[in-house]
Amino acid sequence: YDRIEIPPVRPDVTRVHQYQGECPCCGEQFAASPPDGLKPGSPFGRSVEEKVIYLHTIHAISYQRLSALMLDMFGVSISEGTIANILSRAKEQVDAAVADITAELRKAGVIGCDETGARVAGQKYWQWVFGCATAVLHKVAPSRGKAVVREVLGEHVPAVWVSDRFAAQTGHGESRQLCLAHLLRDAQYAIDAGDTVFAPPLKDLLLRAIDIARRREELQDNTLYQYRCRLDRDLDDLVTRPADSRAGEKLRRQIRRVRSELFLCVTNPGCAGDQQRQRALPPPGRNFQELCGAHDYAESAGKKGPQRGLETGFTLHNPKACCPSVGLLPPFHTALHSAGRGREALERSSDVEH
């Protein structure tokens, strides 16, 4: 049998001594140059910076707690101000990746989008997520309007736009696939409100469509076409039945208006109707003042708290992470190596004299 232990983690410190002097012949002053990878500046190497970026961005550990964690687990004493500086330097590196992600989205034929509320330094903001088969982009913005979508996509109009029925999510694609996960939630609400005529069969119909869409790669095109025709016929029949509750009748009227946008996912190979992109969103109610950075150190950078939080936090998402439609790719480790600026990780604990 196995027993697993984690060995003690201790910081590896390399001290550099630089000597200077004066030539006894000509009197010229000279000084030793620092060794490669050990230039003066912040004492924290790349391995420390990588851990700070990863723990703060992926695990939403606030500056104060991260400072304590680094000391308790790694024996590294690091201030909250230094953490803020590390994240600011990393942002400069990741901005190029954000541009690549945006360019990838602007070429996609199918894009899913959702938004959720976020608190940034005590203010109400919105976290948007845009996902396609090869990239996921998170954007925190003060607006929940269409302007955010247009800012991200520019002039690009995807063939299929996957979203809920929120007004700001309309008109962005040539066609739209409604999020069936949202509709399932609405159907369950009507059921809980007492509806027995419309909402229960609608829920069964939506679950059937999701199951077919998930098995799409195993089925022939003509089989999928027949399945979709059957789903459309069943939906046409269902929306003619008056519901027996107020919530059910309201839902029935809403479904009648969008009946043509429910089952595109059955026959479109790039479309996921159960809104897998929603899993890329953080849990509701997460405080982005902690996630994106305490604003106590914002003034030293000449920025206000919310803006600094956004810039040091949510532009640090891996372009292909968190997208279940393409599988869970390495979440952040690859990006850390390019984002963690500073000296290379110190390899030994010794003194270096130059």
Side-chain angles (χ1 to χ4, degrees), residues 17-23 28-33 354:
H17 296 273
Q18 288 181 268
Y19 293 99
Q20 61 182 6
E22 180 179 300
C23 177
E28 182 179 355
Q29 300 286 332
F30 65 87
S33 59
H354 273 252

Side-chain angles (χ1 to χ4, degrees), residues 151-172:
E151 179 185 350
V152 171
L153 296 186
E155 300 299 322
H156 176 61
V157 179
V160 181
W161 183 260
V162 186
S163 70
D164 57 20
R165 291 174 291 137
F166 182 57
Q169 295 281 8
T170 60
H172 300 301

